[in-house]
Amino acid sequence: MSAYPNERFDQVESTLEQLSNSFRHLLTAQVLMHDTMSRTHIVVKKLSDAMLALADSQKQTDEKLATLTEKVDALTDIVRQWYERHGNGAASH
């Protein structure tokens, strides 16, 4: 019966070694996951900043386009009024 305690001890030792290896794998995975999350956070922050800058730029473009549209509309009115005063552009001599 002396072999039986040695077998049990070997089984316990093997189980502890497997648990130790599993713990190392989990710890490695945790470190890698933390690193990936940190890099992801940086990328998301940069993307967020870029989106805010793009939105601001789009707002400025919209404002400039609205101003240009107003000027083109005013120019169109001026040309229409000139045309109405001077007919079809033929000289009236």
Side-chain angles (χ1 to χ4, degrees), residues 72-91:
V72 169
D73 288 346
L75 180 58
T76 301
D77 290 341
I78 291 169
V79 169
R80 184 181 303 115
Q81 290 170 5
W82 182 87
Y83 183 77
E84 289 171 356
R85 274 190 237 135
H86 296 92
N88 63 5

Side-chain angles (χ1 to χ4, degrees), residues 53-81:
L54 179 61
D56 185 52
S57 179
Q58 184 64 48
K59 181 181 176 186
Q60 291 176 16
T61 299
D62 290 346
E63 291 169 358
K64 289 177 183 178
L65 184 58
T67 300
L68 179 61
T69 301
E70 290 172 9
K71 290 178 180 180
V72 169
D73 288 346
L75 180 58
T76 301
D77 290 341
I78 291 169
V79 169
R80 184 181 303 115
Q81 290 170 5

Side-chain angles (χ1 to χ4, degrees), residues 1-18:
M1 273 197 131
S2 64
Y4 181 74
N6 285 338
E7 283 180 27
R8 289 295 289 161
F9 181 76
D10 289 345
Q11 287 176 349
V12 169
E13 186 178 36
S14 175
T15 302
L16 287 174
E17 188 175 323
Q18 290 173 4

